[in-house]
Coordinates of all heavy atoms in Angstrom, one line a residue:
Chain B
M422 N -52.8 -4.0 -14.9 CA -53.3 -2.6 -14.9 C -54.2 -2.4 -16.1 O -54.2 -3.2 -17.0 CB -52.1 -1.7 -14.9 CG -51.0 -2.0 -13.9 SD -51.6 -1.7 -12.2 CE -51.5 0.1 -12.1
T423 N -54.9 -1.3 -16.0 CA -55.9 -1.1 -17.1 C -55.7 0.4 -17.7 O -56.6 1.2 -17.6 CB -57.3 -1.2 -16.6 OG1 -57.4 -0.3 -15.4 CG2 -57.7 -2.6 -16.2
P424 N -54.6 0.6 -18.4 CA -54.3 1.9 -19.0 C -55.2 2.1 -20.2 O -55.6 1.2 -20.9 CB -52.9 1.8 -19.4 CG -52.6 0.4 -19.5 CD -53.4 -0.3 -18.6
E425 N -55.6 3.4 -20.4 CA -56.4 3.8 -21.6 C -55.4 4.6 -22.5 O -54.5 5.2 -22.0 CB -57.5 4.7 -21.1 CG -58.5 4.1 -20.2 CD -59.6 3.2 -20.9 OE1 -59.6 3.3 -22.2 OE2 -60.4 2.6 -20.2
Y426 N -55.8 4.5 -23.7 CA -55.0 5.3 -24.7 C -55.2 6.8 -24.5 O -56.4 7.2 -24.2 CB -55.3 5.0 -26.1 CG -54.8 6.0 -27.1 CD1 -53.4 6.0 -27.4 CD2 -55.6 7.0 -27.7 CE1 -52.9 7.0 -28.2 CE2 -55.1 8.0 -28.5 CZ -53.7 8.0 -28.8 OH -53.2 8.9 -29.5
R427 N -54.2 7.6 -24.5 CA -54.3 9.1 -24.4 C -53.6 9.7 -25.6 O -52.5 9.2 -25.9 CB -53.8 9.7 -23.1 CG -54.7 9.4 -21.9 CD -54.0 10.0 -20.7 NE -52.9 9.2 -20.2 CZ -51.7 9.8 -19.8 NH1 -51.6 11.1 -19.7 NH2 -50.7 9.0 -19.4
D428 N -54.1 10.8 -26.2 CA -53.3 11.5 -27.2 C -52.1 12.1 -26.6 O -52.1 12.4 -25.4 CB -54.2 12.6 -27.8 CG -55.1 12.2 -28.9 OD1 -54.7 11.1 -29.5 OD2 -56.1 12.8 -29.2
P429 N -51.1 12.3 -27.4 CA -49.9 13.1 -26.9 C -50.3 14.5 -26.4 O -51.4 15.0 -26.7 CB -49.0 13.2 -28.1 CG -49.4 12.1 -29.0 CD -50.9 11.9 -28.8
A430 N -49.4 15.1 -25.7 CA -49.7 16.4 -25.1 C -50.1 17.4 -26.2 O -50.9 18.2 -26.1 CB -48.5 17.0 -24.3
E431 N -49.3 17.3 -27.3 CA -49.7 18.1 -28.5 C -49.9 17.2 -29.7 O -49.1 16.3 -29.8 CB -48.6 19.1 -28.8 CG -48.4 20.3 -27.8 CD -47.2 21.2 -28.0 OE1 -46.5 21.0 -29.0 OE2 -46.9 22.0 -27.2
T432 N -50.9 17.5 -30.5 CA -51.0 16.7 -31.7 C -50.9 17.6 -32.9 O -51.1 18.8 -32.8 CB -52.4 16.0 -31.7 OG1 -53.4 16.9 -31.4 CG2 -52.4 14.9 -30.7
I433 N -50.7 17.0 -34.1 CA -50.5 17.8 -35.2 C -51.8 18.6 -35.6 O -52.8 18.1 -35.4 CB -50.0 17.0 -36.5 CG1 -50.8 15.7 -36.6 CG2 -48.5 16.6 -36.3 CD1 -50.5 15.0 -37.9
D434 N -51.6 19.8 -36.2 CA -52.7 20.5 -36.7 C -52.3 21.3 -37.9 O -51.2 21.1 -38.4 CB -53.2 21.5 -35.5 CG -52.1 22.4 -35.0 OD1 -51.1 22.5 -35.7 OD2 -52.2 22.9 -33.9
D435 N -53.1 22.3 -38.3 CA -52.7 23.0 -39.5 C -51.4 23.8 -39.4 O -50.6 23.9 -40.3 CB -53.8 24.0 -40.0 CG -55.0 23.2 -40.5 OD1 -54.8 22.0 -40.8 OD2 -56.1 23.8 -40.6
E436 N -51.2 24.3 -38.2 CA -50.1 25.2 -38.0 C -48.8 24.3 -37.8 O -47.7 24.7 -38.3 CB -50.3 26.0 -36.7 CG -49.6 27.4 -36.8 CD -49.8 28.1 -35.5 OE1 -50.9 27.9 -34.8 OE2 -48.9 29.0 -35.2
Y437 N -48.9 23.2 -37.1 CA -47.8 22.3 -36.9 C -48.1 20.9 -37.4 O -48.5 20.1 -36.6 CB -47.4 22.3 -35.4 CG -46.9 23.7 -34.9 CD1 -47.9 24.5 -34.2 CD2 -45.7 24.2 -35.2 CE1 -47.5 25.8 -33.7 CE2 -45.3 25.4 -34.8 CZ -46.2 26.2 -34.0 OH -45.9 27.5 -33.6
P438 N -48.0 20.7 -38.7 CA -48.7 19.5 -39.3 C -47.8 18.3 -39.3 O -48.2 17.3 -39.9 CB -48.9 20.0 -40.7 CG -47.9 21.0 -41.0 CD -47.5 21.7 -39.7
V439 N -46.5 18.3 -38.8 CA -45.6 17.2 -38.9 C -45.2 16.7 -37.5 O -45.0 17.5 -36.6 CB -44.3 17.7 -39.7 CG1 -43.3 16.6 -39.8 CG2 -44.7 18.2 -41.1
W440 N -45.0 15.4 -37.4 CA -44.5 14.9 -36.2 C -43.0 14.9 -36.1 O -42.4 14.4 -37.1 CB -45.0 13.4 -36.0 CG -46.4 13.1 -35.9 CD1 -47.2 12.6 -36.9 CD2 -47.3 13.4 -34.8 NE1 -48.5 12.5 -36.5 CE2 -48.6 13.0 -35.2 CE3 -47.1 13.9 -33.5 CZ2 -49.7 13.1 -34.3 CZ3 -48.2 14.0 -32.7 CH2 -49.5 13.6 -33.1
L441 N -42.4 15.4 -35.1 CA -41.0 15.3 -34.9 C -40.7 14.3 -33.8 O -41.4 14.3 -32.7 CB -40.4 16.6 -34.5 CG -39.0 16.6 -33.9 CD1 -37.9 16.2 -34.9 CD2 -38.6 17.9 -33.2
T442 N -39.8 13.4 -34.0 CA -39.4 12.5 -32.9 C -37.9 12.6 -32.8 O -37.2 12.9 -33.8 CB -40.0 11.1 -33.1 OG1 -39.7 10.3 -31.9 CG2 -39.3 10.3 -34.3
T443 N -37.3 12.3 -31.6 CA -35.9 12.5 -31.4 C -35.2 11.2 -30.9 O -35.9 10.3 -30.5 CB -35.7 13.6 -30.4 OG1 -36.2 13.2 -29.1 CG2 -36.3 14.9 -30.8
G444 N -33.9 11.2 -31.1 CA -33.2 10.0 -30.6 C -31.7 10.3 -30.7 O -31.3 11.4 -30.5
R445 N -31.0 9.2 -30.9 CA -29.5 9.3 -30.8 C -28.9 8.9 -32.1 O -29.5 8.2 -33.0 CB -29.0 8.3 -29.7 CG -29.4 8.8 -28.4 CD -29.0 7.7 -27.3 NE -29.7 7.9 -26.1 CZ -29.1 8.4 -25.0 NH1 -27.8 8.6 -25.0 NH2 -29.7 8.6 -23.9
R446 N -27.6 9.2 -32.3 CA -26.7 8.7 -33.4 C -25.7 7.7 -32.8 O -25.2 7.9 -31.7 CB -26.0 9.9 -33.9 CG -26.8 11.0 -34.4 CD -27.4 10.8 -35.8 NE -28.3 11.8 -36.2 CZ -29.2 11.7 -37.1 NH1 -29.4 10.5 -37.6 NH2 -30.0 12.6 -37.5
L447 N -25.4 6.7 -33.6 CA -24.5 5.7 -33.1 C -23.1 6.3 -32.7 O -22.6 5.9 -31.7 CB -24.2 4.6 -34.2 CG -23.1 3.6 -34.1 CD1 -23.3 2.8 -32.8 CD2 -23.0 2.7 -35.3
A448 N -22.6 7.1 -33.5 CA -21.2 7.6 -33.2 C -21.2 8.6 -32.1 O -20.1 9.0 -31.6 CB -20.6 8.2 -34.5
H449 N -22.3 9.1 -31.7 CA -22.3 10.2 -30.7 C -23.0 9.7 -29.4 O -23.8 8.8 -29.4 CB -22.9 11.5 -31.2 CG -22.0 12.2 -32.0 ND1 -20.8 12.7 -31.6 CD2 -22.0 12.6 -33.4 CE1 -20.1 13.3 -32.6 NE2 -20.9 13.2 -33.6
Y450 N -22.7 10.5 -28.3 CA -23.2 10.2 -27.0 C -23.8 11.4 -26.5 O -23.1 12.5 -26.4 CB -22.1 9.6 -26.1 CG -22.6 9.3 -24.8 CD1 -23.5 8.2 -24.6 CD2 -22.1 9.9 -23.6 CE1 -23.9 7.8 -23.3 CE2 -22.5 9.5 -22.4 CZ -23.4 8.5 -22.2 OH -23.8 8.1 -21.0
H451 N -25.1 11.3 -26.2 CA -25.7 12.4 -25.5 C -25.5 13.8 -26.0 O -25.7 14.0 -27.2 CB -25.3 12.4 -24.0 CG -26.5 12.1 -23.1 ND1 -27.1 13.1 -22.4 CD2 -27.2 11.0 -22.9 CE1 -28.2 12.5 -21.8 NE2 -28.2 11.3 -22.1
T452 N -25.0 14.8 -25.2 CA -24.9 16.1 -25.8 C -23.5 16.3 -26.4 O -23.1 17.5 -26.6 CB -25.2 17.2 -24.7 OG1 -24.2 17.1 -23.7 CG2 -26.5 17.0 -24.1
R453 N -22.8 15.3 -26.7 CA -21.5 15.3 -27.4 C -20.4 16.0 -26.7 O -19.4 16.4 -27.3 CB -21.8 16.1 -28.7 CG -21.8 15.1 -30.0 CD -22.1 15.9 -31.3 NE -21.1 16.6 -31.9 CZ -20.9 17.9 -31.8 NH1 -21.7 18.7 -31.1 NH2 -19.9 18.5 -32.4
T454 N -20.6 16.3 -25.4 CA -19.4 16.8 -24.7 C -18.2 15.9 -24.8 O -17.1 16.4 -24.8 CB -19.7 17.1 -23.2 OG1 -20.3 15.9 -22.6 CG2 -20.7 18.2 -23.0
M455 N -18.5 14.7 -24.8 CA -17.4 13.7 -25.0 C -17.1 13.4 -26.4 O -16.0 13.7 -27.0 CB -17.7 12.4 -24.2 CG -17.7 12.6 -22.7 SD -19.0 11.7 -21.8 CE -18.3 10.0 -21.8
T456 N -18.0 12.8 -27.2 CA -17.8 12.4 -28.6 C -17.6 13.5 -29.5 O -16.9 13.3 -30.6 CB -18.9 11.4 -29.1 OG1 -20.1 12.1 -28.9 CG2 -19.0 10.1 -28.3
G457 N -18.0 14.7 -29.2 CA -17.8 15.8 -30.0 C -16.3 16.2 -30.0 O -15.8 17.0 -30.8
R458 N -15.6 15.6 -29.1 CA -14.1 15.9 -29.0 C -13.4 14.6 -29.3 O -12.2 14.4 -28.9 CB -13.8 16.4 -27.6 CG -14.3 17.8 -27.3 CD -14.0 18.3 -25.9 NE -14.4 19.6 -25.7 CZ -15.6 20.0 -25.2 NH1 -16.5 19.1 -24.9 NH2 -15.9 21.3 -25.1
A459 N -14.1 13.7 -30.0 CA -13.4 12.5 -30.4 C -13.3 12.4 -32.0 O -14.3 12.6 -32.7 CB -14.2 11.2 -30.0
V460 N -12.1 12.2 -32.5 CA -11.8 12.4 -33.9 C -12.7 11.4 -34.7 O -13.4 11.8 -35.7 CB -10.3 12.1 -34.2 CG1 -10.1 12.0 -35.7 CG2 -9.5 13.2 -33.6

Side-chain angles (χ1 to χ4, degrees):
Chain B
M422 305 295 279
T423 52
E425 298 278 355
Y426 168 75
R427 286 181 287 140
D428 275 337
E431 288 173 6
T432 50
I433 49 173
D434 54 20
D435 289 345
E436 211 181 333
Y437 299 102
V439 176
W440 298 106
L441 164 72
T442 189
T443 64
R445 291 170 195 257
R446 304 277 176 206
L447 169 60
H449 281 299
Y450 182 64
H451 243 260
T452 65
R453 254 174 81 258
T454 49
M455 291 144 75
T456 54
R458 294 178 173 94
V460 173

